[in-house]
Amino acid sequence: MIRPSAVALIAALALSGCMMAAEVPAEAPAAPVVDARLWADLSILAADDMQGRGPSTPGGEKARAYIVSRFEEMGVAAPAMGRLQPFEARSRRGATVSGVNVIGVIPGTRRGDRYIVVTAHYDHVGAPDGVIHNGADDNASGVATMLALAAELKREAPDHSVIFVAFDAEESGLLGAKHFVEAPPVPLESIALNINFDMTARAETDGKLWITGTYQHPTFRPFLEGIAPVGGISLAFGKDTPQDVGPNNWVEASDHGAFFRADVPFLYLGVDYHPDYHQPTDDVERVQPAVFQSATTLSIQSFRALDRGLGR
């Protein structure tokens, strides 16, 4: 994830001791059983042998091959344009970046001509100065959540057709997402919504999975407000108003920003800052399995609520 001035904010919070785990009520509901496949996807994508999943690196290629294999294993079809969407673009620093998006499609049963595009970036920052940054939360977690949703939709098909996209080169400036909206597999006007998962694992920071975008698209919020907390983690709405400034405004903080710029409705689901953000310590060992499962369950419930509610 790209969040402006995040490093300074995290350092200040860490020094002040403000980044403490949310208190869990004495009678908090039990967390769901952790799905072994969800945990395996997270662990594999965030392993040292992925070398931080930098674009145009062997680790990035290995992560991409793994996501392709998971789509194939689940029977998630490729679109007519093909499974892979290669691109070249300039990074924020002016370097030429070669990347590849990975795409899958699950047809809808009621609104097959209308699409929900579910996204998560699989790249991370690689190994700057030879130090591997595994990016367990950012964003192996979002990809694992996306794959869990794909498995759920293969068990029970959605109303809308769903396009899944694992984006490359998000950390270079949302490059994979920008290319996708410039060369989409379906007309942009047929996309009802982009749901973007980026950093879904570490909700213990404040006990919340944040949803950004309901300020811009207030009709979505009623579909989501009735979703109950799971395992002590609850949905929260915000980080998207004119009063949310700097690193606290997430409207363009991740790949959904490309959809926002293209006037495609979007919602972003992710957790708040924690001291391991963009650090070599963002490892699987820092993730609490039950918290990650709770956030993923909320993400799937949110998708179902939106899929049912849109277009009725």
Side-chain angles (χ1 to χ4, degrees), residues 211 214 218-229 235 237 302 305-306:
I211 298 182
T214 59
T219 57
F220 296 153
R221 184 161 174 167
F223 302 144
L224 302 167
E225 287 182 321
I227 296 175
L235 295 178
F237 301 90
S302 297
L306 291 158

Side-chain angles (χ1 to χ4, degrees), residues 68-91:
V68 169
S69 73
R70 290 286 287 119
F71 279 151
E72 297 289 340
E73 174 188 306
M74 290 187 286
V76 176
M81 67 183 289
R83 176 75 73 196
L84 302 179
Q85 184 186 45
F87 62 89
E88 270 197 2
R90 291 279 185 182
S91 73

Side-chain angles (χ1 to χ4, degrees), residues 237-297:
F237 301 90
K239 314 288 189 180
D240 52 13
T241 74
Q243 291 73 44
D244 297 313
V245 296
N248 287 319
N249 191 303
W250 297 352
V251 171
E252 297 186 74
S254 181
D255 290 311
H256 56 279
F259 292 85
F260 167 68
R261 287 288 179 180
D263 293 322
V264 175
F266 74 94
L267 289 175
Y268 160 65
L269 280 72
V271 304
D272 213 337
Y273 297 106
H274 53 78
D276 298 313
Y277 168 68
H278 274 203
Q279 300 299 310
T281 52
D282 184 9
D283 291 323
V284 170
E285 291 76 16
R286 300 292 179 99
V287 176
Q288 298 178 28
V291 171
F292 181 34
Q293 180 66 64
S294 295
T296 294
T297 299

Side-chain angles (χ1 to χ4, degrees), residues 159-181:
D159 286 355
H160 293 74
S161 291
V162 180
I163 298 173
F164 293 95
V165 194
F167 284 132
D168 202 355
E170 186 266 359
E171 301 287 4
S172 303
L174 319 185
L175 301 186
K178 290 175 179 177
H179 181 75
F180 180 87
V181 299

